[in-house]
Amino acid sequence: MASQVTAATSSNADEISRDELRARLQDPSLTILDVLPQASFVEAHIPRAINIPLEQIHTQAREMLPDVNAEIAVYCGKFT
């Protein structure tokens, strides 16, 4: 995983560090979104992460991420 994670809140996007993400793993107000293919997600993923492969974001995001105001950290690499 890259050293920065993009987190989107509403209409802006900020980056958070890997350490900040680790510190917030148990924070229920943060949704963690893995956009890798399902096979990669099954192999390894961040605890509590939701998997929506990037090519399926447009069709599954509303269903899988119903709170449009939620803070969402998006990642596309293995958590190390």
Side-chain angles (χ1 to χ4, degrees):
M1 180 170 94
S3 62
Q4 294 292 311
V5 178
T6 299
T9 56
S10 192
S11 63
N12 68 340
D14 298 315
E15 289 187 0
I16 61 173
S17 70
R18 182 185 307 193
D19 290 338
E20 184 178 352
L21 179 60
R22 280 186 176 144
R24 295 191 61 197
L25 286 177
Q26 301 306 317
D27 181 348
S29 70
L30 179 66
T31 299
I32 304 168
L33 177 61
D34 180 320
V35 295
L36 288 171
Q38 185 177 16
S40 296
F41 180 79
V42 169
E43 185 178 310
H45 61 272
I46 295 174
R48 293 193 320 104
I50 295 169
N51 178 234
I52 305 176
L54 189 58
E55 64 276 358
Q56 296 174 8
I57 288 287
H58 293 306
T59 60
Q60 291 190 3
R62 288 249 184 230
E63 178 183 334
M64 301 285 292
L65 305 167
D67 184 355
V68 296
N69 296 311
E71 185 177 17
I72 302 170
V74 179
Y75 77 96
C76 60
K78 292 183 180 176
F79 191 60
T80 57

